[in-house]
Amino acid sequence: MPAPADRSGLAIAELVLQKGIAHNKLSPEEIRAARAAVAQVEISSVDGSSAEELCQLAHEAYKQWSGVHAAQCHAYEARALPANPYSYLLPVMVCTAANDNAESMNDDLSHVHLRALCLLIYQHFGGDSIDEANKITLIKHWIQVAVMFMVGDEPAEARSLLNNASKLLDLDTHLDNITTMEVRCRLKATEAQLEWIGGKPQTTIQLLEEALQLVNSLGSRCAPALRRFLADDVALSLASAGHVDAEEEDSQAAASDTKEVRKQLIRLTDLSLSFLDDADSHVDLRDRALRLRAWLCILNDDLERAAQSLQQHSGSSPFDPSAMTLDAASYTANETKPHPTYMLLQLALYFKTSRTAEACAEAISWLSTDSSLTFERVRTAVRLVRDTIDLLTRNKCSTAALEATSAILNGWLKTTNDPASSQLYSDIADLKYGLLTHGAAADSAAAAAHLENVINAHTSGKQLATPEALRRFGRKLWNLGCSHADVGQLHNAIEDIEMARRFMELSACHKSELSTILATLSHFYLNLDRFDVAIDRAQEAVQLHLGDTSPKPDSDCGMNSIRTQADSCCLARIVLIKANLKLDRADRAQEVTDALLASQPLDDHVLVAALCEDIVAMGAGHEAVVVALLGRFVAMLDDAPHGAPERSKLAGATRSLVSMREVQYEQRTKRSAAHLATTSASHAAGEGEERAGSIEASGTGRYQLASEVLADVSLVARRANQLGAAAVCDGGDHLDWLAQKAWNEGISCAKAESAKDLKLAVQLLQACSALLKSLQMTEERRDLRLRSHMVVAHCSLALHDLLHMGPATGSLDSRESRRQDLRMHSVMDVEADQSVAEGHLHRASEALADAFRLRQRGSFVAQNAQHERGNADAFEPDVALCVLNFDVSLRRLDPNWNALLSRAAETPGVQASHFVVMADSARKCRNSEAEQACLKYALERLKGDETKDFAGIALVLRRLIMRATSREDQLPYFLVMADSLGAYSAANCPLDAELLQWYLSSSYNMAVAYFNDKELESAEQWFSVAFKFLHLAPPSLQSSREELVQSYDLVMKELANCGPHKGPTSAPPSFYARMKKLVTALPEPHQGDPKPILHS
């Protein structure tokens, strides 16, 4: 931070020091600026009082922050490497009590920068107060603060401070002073550490060699503490840290580079050994350095030097590579036992010199006789044994490793039974089990025998295993059993997990783990069709779950499948359900199902679905259990609190329920059909009655299925519209599926035409529309909603007609059904029936209005796709809406029905068939005028078609003829039909014989009727029309031609005799006699095709 123009360097430094004393926050940049300002001040320009005052401030600040640093030194140690080479330079100066605000020190090393500023001020302005002793102390503090910068990862600052210390040390004139030389050694060591941090190992070694020269020059005058510091805290610490780094980077570096790094580390160990003298207090340090050097030499394949290092180790015997042996008796006395790491290095050297047999023998002899391992920390002892076993297995001596572990378990370890020995025994037993299950010495039978021995020793009290070890064995066996189960080896899996159960019971483990094991066993027994054993194990698991009130373990239990007790209890209950179903215990299975649903978390819908699929896969006959399970599950989901995430599974669960209801209905129908097929043929009459009853039961079952589907879909639709689709379904597919299912069931009910089916159809289709309304609208969904509203309107009109008009129209079956419905309602109050009928009509109007609103929102993909495929029965919403609108207007007695009919005529796509349908509706409403208008529009459409539909024309004309109010109004329609067929003959007449016969007989009888009424001119016209149809008649009617001609001649004679002013009062008797032979009486018009009356 640049200094203001009106402040001197001293003022800036004074301000910073005052802030530091007051523990105000200072930034490193601010302190660096103060240091730079102080360095630029001319010492000669500062008077003595100002300099003394500034030094006092610096001294006070330094004391304050030295206390802070003393309180925080462990935090700096934690940041360094595990082998911290800087720990020796933590502050040693005597200061007042640690500052109360030590914990408020920032992590940005501001206090370290402040201490550097204090030292700089003291060095610049101390003047005569800095004598030789104070100079040495100041150098030590420079080194101390530099180390703090090194720990804080600011090597540049550390380099600057070490340079200050070096310059101050060079001014010392007493070069041979012991204190000066020791400080110089420490300075060299610190510089060496800084160079190591900077990645310059050669410079580090060079600086340590210079420090070694100074130590050697001191000789016996060198303090032992300095020697140990240089050997242990510097050289050996750097070698250890470098070895750790080299091991981590070994896979990425080239072999030659790694070897060169190890040579440098070996040189550091050499320097560590050189710093030491022959004092007994340095034996342990010397041995550590020798062991590290031996290991580095073994890694670098420098076996001779490695052997020399081991030979120099304390307690070692002369080393001879050609005959490398150790006396086993040397292990019997504690004072002659070598260090365990030394033994490991000795064994490694054996293997490096290809003396495998001797290495194995020595390892076994050492591990089986060195009972001092029990006096080590258990973790250390286990690590030593494990490292030895790993060394043997890496050198393909698994058998020797197994023998060594057996020797330990059966040797000195067997004689003790204290807690430490139990821990060691457990770990060694676990190590032996690992050898028996993996690697070259793997032996499943021996592994099983070993586990049995562990259990027997524990239960008998001869050798107790720790509860942790017993649980560890149980979990390993559990995982092994699961791996066997994964490859289909269920028998082996059961053996492993049964053994795991024994270990878990001995370990007093948490009940959740034992429950998991029992549930898994029950599942495996179920797969092997051992249902009774499966039920026993499952019941044990459930009882453990119900009786467990202890807190659940927080850590992972180590099992690789089921993790919670709730999961294991759930699995056990599933096994109970399946096993009881296999044993035909449906009631017991239903009880367990209820318990499962009452205890299982509601969000586990996958589990419920999987259970249902498994039960269905077990075979037919269990659908009722699945339906009950799913029904209860859906009810529980619906009862979940508002906003609960499990509600999103409601639609999916309901879909599964509806699907299973269909499966149940299909299976029931198949069983009924199979039972009917096996009925004895000798009971023919009874079989007919049974078949009728079966058909009736099938219809009832279908109606029940549709009612259940309605309840399921209505529930989801209600919740979807209340809470939103996302609250009941995690995707729209389930809701679309349910809507389509409601549509299909609704259409099936609508086709039945009975009152109860029509009402059910209305409700199903309304539920379909409600479901689709809750979803984001698409063309397909809008299309289905439109269809639903239109069918609702159609069914509502049918219900209205049933109550208001009675069963007057329709097919014979539907009329009979409607008569029964009418008789059922005949006892009801007429006004109530009328009110209900009006309600149906009102619902039809509302549904039609909703359909029109939907139609105005866009085109329909389904319609376009059907037109592209050339589907003649494609859904055309505009046409259907026109027909429905006309139907509703007729029933509402709308006087504007003619305008609606005209609008329909203008609507594209409306064909003659649609007008015929509208005419049928008008006939139901007893509106003859509207019926005739519709038929005339239909006739116009048929006549305008390029390809004539003569049958359609004939039928429309026949209906117009039958609805004509007088005989005179009928003649034009006969003439239209005759003119339409004028271009044809009997050989190619396009009209079928039945319709042609009706027109022939009707026109002929009409002529006879006019003749009887003395209207001879009209009779002649009708005879002429009859002759036109006779010319088109097939050969079967040609035999009547002569008699018809004679009758026609009589009519013509009568017309001639009558004249304008005369006419007989009656026709000749012979005419009537011949007419009676030719014709029969024409019946009154009625619904259906009239029968022909002309006979040959």
Side-chain angles (χ1 to χ4, degrees):
M1 183 177 70
D6 59 343
R7 283 188 176 273
S8 64
L10 295 181
I12 298 173
E14 182 180 353
L15 179 62
V16 170
L17 291 174
Q18 289 175 350
K19 287 184 177 181
I21 294 172
H23 288 276
N24 293 332
K25 186 173 182 180
L26 292 168
S27 65
E29 291 77 13
E30 187 176 0
I31 303 174
R32 286 195 189 99
R35 284 170 56 189
V38 170
Q40 294 176 1
V41 173
E42 291 290 341
I43 299 177
S44 58
S45 64
V46 181
D47 58 68
S49 61
S50 298
E52 183 178 357
E53 182 180 354
L54 191 61
C55 288
Q56 287 295 333
L57 284 174
H59 181 68
E60 182 65 26
Y62 196 86
K63 284 173 58 179
Q64 292 269 355
W65 288 104
S66 294
V68 171
H69 180 74
Q72 296 292 328
C73 61
H74 296 294
Y76 283 108
E77 281 189 286
R79 296 182 191 177
L81 294 172
N84 185 5
Y86 315 120
S87 58
Y88 75 97
L89 281 177
L90 294 176
V92 294
M93 66 175 292
V94 179
C95 61
T96 58
N99 192 281
D100 294 336
N101 296 325
E103 294 183 358
S104 64
M105 181 183 62
N106 296 327
D107 292 335
D108 57 3
L109 298 181
S110 298
H111 66 287
V112 184
H113 287 278
L114 184 61
R115 293 181 61 169
L117 175 61
C118 295
L119 293 175
L120 180 62
I121 292 174
Y122 190 74
Q123 181 174 338
H124 271 57
F125 304 109
D128 297 337
S129 63
I130 305 178
D131 56 10
E132 294 300 329
N134 288 338
K135 186 184 297 183
I136 295 300
T137 303
L138 184 59
I139 293 173
K140 289 181 179 180
H141 284 296
W142 277 122
I143 296 173
Q144 172 186 316
V145 178
V147 171
M148 295 167 67
F149 275 122
M150 291 164 59
V151 174
D153 197 18
E154 292 195 17
E157 294 287 352
R159 170 59 62 191
S160 175
L161 270 60
L162 290 178
N163 289 338
N164 288 341
S166 180
K167 292 177 182 178
L168 191 60
L169 188 61
D170 290 341
L171 298 176
D172 191 356
T173 58
H174 301 82
L175 298 178
D176 294 334
N177 185 287
I178 295 177
T179 304
T180 303
M181 295 184 69
E182 288 182 351
V183 170
R184 193 178 297 277
C185 286
R186 290 183 178 273
L187 179 59
K188 293 286 185 183
T190 306
E191 290 176 341
Q193 292 170 332
L194 183 60
E195 295 298 331
W196 182 270
I197 292 174
K200 299 177 180 179
Q202 290 295 347
T203 307
T204 299
I205 294 173
Q206 182 179 353
L207 289 170
L208 289 178
E209 288 175 345
E210 294 176 1
L212 179 61
Q213 292 176 2
L214 292 174
V215 169
N216 291 335
S217 65
L218 287 174
S220 60
R221 296 179 297 168
C222 183
L226 178 61
R227 288 180 176 274
R228 191 172 188 91
F229 154 69
L230 292 171
D232 190 3
D233 295 334
V234 181
L236 189 57
S237 294
L238 291 177
S240 299
H243 173 55
V244 173
D245 293 339
E247 289 295 322
E248 293 177 353
E249 300 174 0
D250 191 17
S251 59
Q252 300 177 357
S256 58
D257 297 338
T258 305
K259 197 168 187 178
E260 188 62 32
V261 170
R262 292 199 187 104
K263 287 182 179 180
Q264 295 170 354
L265 299 178
I266 292 171
R267 178 55 184 154
L268 287 175
T269 59
D270 292 339
L271 288 171
S272 176
L273 293 169
S274 300
F275 281 122
L276 299 175
D277 55 12
D278 297 332
D280 293 339
S281 59
H282 297 157
V283 172
D284 60 334
L285 177 57
R286 185 185 300 278
D287 285 347
R288 281 197 289 121
L290 288 171
R291 291 196 296 269
L292 179 57
R293 187 174 70 179
W295 179 239
L296 292 171
C297 291
I298 290 175
L299 293 177
N300 260 16
D301 294 329
D302 190 355
L303 303 183
E304 184 176 356
R305 195 170 183 194
Q308 292 174 359
S309 300
L310 293 179
Q311 188 175 0
Q312 296 172 11
H313 196 278
S314 63
S316 64
S317 59
F319 180 77
D320 183 5
S322 62
M324 203 160 46
T325 61
L326 285 176
D327 186 5
S330 64
Y331 297 114
T332 58
N334 287 337
E335 62 272 10
T336 61
K337 291 172 183 176
H339 193 279
T341 306
Y342 168 82
M343 289 301 304
L344 284 174
L345 292 171
Q346 193 83 296
L347 294 175
L349 199 55
Y350 271 115
F351 285 114
K352 278 288 187 179
T353 54
S354 302
R355 307 295 293 271
T356 304
E358 291 84 349
C360 294
E362 182 141 342
I364 296 171
S365 178
W366 170 48
L367 293 178
S368 61
T369 58
D370 192 358
S371 59
S372 64
L373 287 174
T374 57
F375 299 99
E376 298 279 353
R377 290 187 303 172
V378 173
R379 188 174 298 176
T380 303
V382 172
R383 190 188 72 242
L384 290 171
V385 175
R386 191 178 298 277
D387 289 344
T388 305
I389 299 303
D390 288 344
L391 182 62
L392 292 171
T393 54
R394 281 201 305 269
N395 288 277
K396 300 180 181 180
C397 298
S398 300
T399 303
L402 186 60
E403 187 177 350
T405 55
S406 300
I408 295 175
L409 294 174
N410 299 324
W412 51 267
L413 189 57
K414 194 174 182 180
T415 61
T416 58
N417 204 9
D418 55 275
S421 298
S422 296
Q423 179 68 53
L424 185 57
Y425 165 80
S426 301
D427 291 331
I428 301 303
D430 188 14
L431 185 60
K432 180 178 179 180
Y433 178 72
L435 292 172
L436 289 172
T437 53
H438 300 89
D443 186 345
S444 58
H450 171 63
L451 294 177
E452 194 68 37
N453 292 334
V454 172
I455 290 179
N456 293 336
H458 182 82
T459 53
S460 64
K462 294 181 179 179
Q463 186 62 68
L464 298 177
T466 62
E468 294 79 7
L470 294 173
R471 282 194 289 272
R472 190 163 58 246
F473 277 121
R475 291 164 183 169
K476 287 184 177 181
L477 287 166
W478 154 271
N479 292 329
L480 180 62
C482 290
S483 63
H484 283 147
D486 291 340
V487 295
Q489 300 175 359
L490 290 183
H491 292 285
N492 293 336
I494 288 176
E495 291 178 1
D496 295 330
I497 298 181
E498 285 285 6
M499 181 69 75
R501 178 178 64 86
R502 296 174 62 189
F503 273 104
M504 286 300 186
E505 290 174 347
L506 290 174
S507 70
C509 67
H510 194 276
K511 292 183 179 180
S512 62
E513 298 184 62
L514 189 56
S515 176
T516 296
I517 291 175
L518 290 169
T520 305
L521 281 172
S522 67
H523 176 66
F524 291 162
Y525 282 123
L526 176 67
N527 291 338
L528 292 177
D529 293 340
R530 298 176 62 181
F531 304 124
D532 292 333
V533 184
I535 290 175
D536 292 340
R537 293 290 183 268
Q539 288 177 341
E540 291 179 29
V542 173
Q543 291 302 322
L544 277 175
H545 171 70
L546 296 178
D548 183 22
T549 58
S550 59
K552 304 298 183 289
D554 295 331
S555 59
D556 184 6
C557 68
M559 296 185 178
N560 60 9
S561 182
I562 303 175
R563 296 299 181 95
T564 66
Q565 189 176 10
D567 290 341
S568 62
C569 183
C570 174
L571 175 61
R573 285 191 167 114
I574 291 175
V575 171
L576 286 173
I577 293 171
K578 294 180 180 179
N580 281 293
L581 287 176
K582 286 287 187 180
L583 296 175
D584 294 330
R585 302 171 184 170
D587 295 339
R588 177 57 183 155
Q590 189 63 55
E591 293 176 4
V592 180
T593 300
D594 295 339
L596 173 66
L597 290 175
S599 62
Q600 185 62 20
L602 296 181
D603 58 350
D604 201 353
H605 65 289
V606 177
L607 174 66
V608 176
L611 174 59
C612 293
E613 291 179 0
D614 290 345
I615 296 177
V616 172
M618 291 169 60
H622 306 310
E623 297 83 8
V625 176
V626 178
V627 170
L629 192 153
L630 287 173
R632 177 75 179 277
F633 184 62
V634 168
M636 294 174 68
L637 289 176
D638 185 52
D639 291 338
H642 178 66
E646 54 265 22
R647 269 187 176 269
S648 63
K649 310 303 178 186
L650 179 61
T654 305
R655 175 177 178 175
S656 300
L657 175 59
V658 172
S659 299
M660 189 48 57
R661 291 191 194 279
E662 288 188 322
V663 173
Q664 184 183 20
Y665 169 75
E666 292 173 359
Q667 293 297 331
R668 188 184 304 154
T669 303
K670 289 180 180 179
R671 289 193 293 269
S672 177
H675 175 71
L676 183 62
T678 58
T679 304
S680 174
S682 59
H683 301 86
E687 183 179 0
E689 295 175 0
E690 186 174 353
R691 180 180 292 106
S694 176
I695 294 173
E696 182 179 356
S698 176
T700 304
R702 189 70 199 182
Y703 179 82
Q704 180 181 359
L705 172 64
S707 301
E708 292 169 346
V709 170
L710 171 62
D712 298 334
V713 175
S714 297
L715 171 65
V716 178
R718 185 167 57 254
R719 294 294 179 258
N721 284 280
Q722 288 175 351
L723 308 174
V728 299
C729 185
D730 47 10
D733 293 342
H734 295 314
L735 295 180
D736 284 327
W737 188 91
L738 289 172
Q740 188 64 47
K741 182 58 62 178
W743 162 265
N744 294 338
E745 293 296 332
I747 293 300
S748 298
C749 292
K751 293 178 180 179
E753 295 186 350
S754 66
K756 67 174 185 178
D757 287 319
L758 289 172
K759 292 178 182 178
L760 186 58
V762 169
Q763 294 172 330
L764 283 165
L765 295 169
Q766 286 177 333
C768 170
S769 179
L771 271 179
L772 296 174
K773 184 179 179 181
S774 65
L775 293 169
Q776 184 179 3
M777 191 57 62
T778 62
E779 294 298 331
E780 291 81 2
R781 290 168 181 164
R782 187 182 295 118
D783 176 83
L784 189 55
R785 281 193 67 193
L786 175 64
R787 291 170 181 260
S788 299
H789 287 306
M790 293 173 66
V791 179
V792 167
H794 175 78
C795 294
S796 299
L797 291 178
L799 289 169
H800 169 269
D801 296 346
L802 197 64
L803 289 172
H804 190 266
M805 302 177 185
T809 59
S811 63
L812 292 177
D813 293 338
S814 63
R815 279 186 289 170
E816 179 61 27
S817 175
R818 292 179 186 179
R819 287 193 185 96
Q820 293 177 2
D821 292 337
L822 187 61
R823 283 195 296 270
M824 292 173 58
H825 291 280
S826 60
V827 296
M828 298 175 60
D829 185 74
V830 176
E831 294 182 357
D833 280 350
Q834 193 69 23
S835 177
V836 173
E838 291 300 324
H840 292 313
L841 185 58
H842 179 69
R843 182 173 58 241
S845 300
E846 289 183 342
L848 184 61
D850 291 337
F852 270 111
R853 282 192 290 270
L854 285 170
R855 182 64 187 94
Q856 293 171 358
R857 295 181 184 178
S859 59
F860 289 83
V861 175
Q863 172 191 353
N864 298 335
Q866 287 175 331
H867 277 303
E868 291 175 2
R869 293 192 298 266
N871 186 358
D873 298 327
F875 173 59
E876 298 180 6
D878 293 334
V879 175
L881 287 173
C882 286
V883 175
L884 272 176
N885 196 18
F886 181 75
D887 290 349
V888 171
S889 67
L890 290 177
R891 286 161 178 80
R892 297 181 65 179
L893 304 178
D894 187 354
N896 296 322
W897 61 263
N898 202 6
L900 297 177
L901 190 60
S902 300
R903 189 180 305 167
E906 298 172 358
T907 301
V910 177
Q911 300 176 2
S913 58
H914 301 120
F915 285 112
V916 172
V917 172
M918 297 163 74
D920 293 339
S921 181
R923 179 167 52 84
K924 291 179 184 179
C925 297
R926 298 179 176 86
N927 191 333
S928 178
E929 182 182 2
E931 180 184 6
Q932 293 187 49
C934 293
L935 291 173
K936 289 178 180 179
Y937 275 112
L939 182 61
E940 291 298 324
R941 286 285 196 274
L942 290 169
K943 291 170 63 178
D945 290 340
E946 295 182 2
T947 302
K948 293 294 186 295
D949 180 10
F950 290 99
I953 294 173
L955 291 173
V956 170
L957 287 172
R958 186 172 68 178
R959 289 188 60 175
L960 284 170
I961 292 169
M962 296 172 67
R963 292 292 176 264
T965 57
S966 64
R967 293 185 297 182
E968 289 78 8
D969 295 337
Q970 294 180 358
L971 181 60
Y973 300 129
F974 279 94
L975 291 174
V976 169
M977 188 70 249
D979 293 341
S980 299
L981 299 174
Y984 297 92
S985 63
N988 60 355
C989 180
L991 202 62
D992 60 90
E994 185 178 358
L995 281 173
L996 186 61
Q997 185 178 6
W998 185 90
Y999 276 97
L1000 174 59
S1001 60
S1002 297
S1003 57
Y1004 182 79
N1005 286 312
M1006 192 64 72
V1008 172
Y1010 272 107
F1011 185 80
N1012 290 336
D1013 293 339
K1014 303 302 181 179
E1015 298 181 19
L1016 299 180
E1017 293 181 358
S1018 297
E1020 190 273 334
Q1021 291 178 340
W1022 281 101
F1023 273 117
S1024 299
V1025 173
F1027 270 110
K1028 291 181 179 180
F1029 290 118
L1030 185 63
H1031 292 316
L1032 300 171
S1036 60
L1037 299 179
Q1038 290 298 326
S1039 58
S1040 304
R1041 181 179 182 84
E1042 293 181 0
E1043 295 183 7
L1044 185 59
V1045 169
Q1046 292 177 3
S1047 299
Y1048 184 68
D1049 289 342
L1050 289 176
V1051 173
M1052 296 305 295
K1053 288 179 181 179
E1054 289 292 334
L1055 287 173
N1057 293 332
C1058 288
H1061 302 288
K1062 53 184 177 179
T1065 58
S1066 61
S1070 60
F1071 176 79
Y1072 295 114
R1074 289 193 296 272
M1075 292 298 104
K1076 288 179 181 180
K1077 293 181 181 179
L1078 294 175
V1079 300
T1080 61
L1082 183 66
E1084 285 293 325
H1086 59 83
Q1087 172 63 25
D1089 295 336
K1091 301 299 180 181
I1093 60 172
L1094 185 64
H1095 300 277
S1096 59

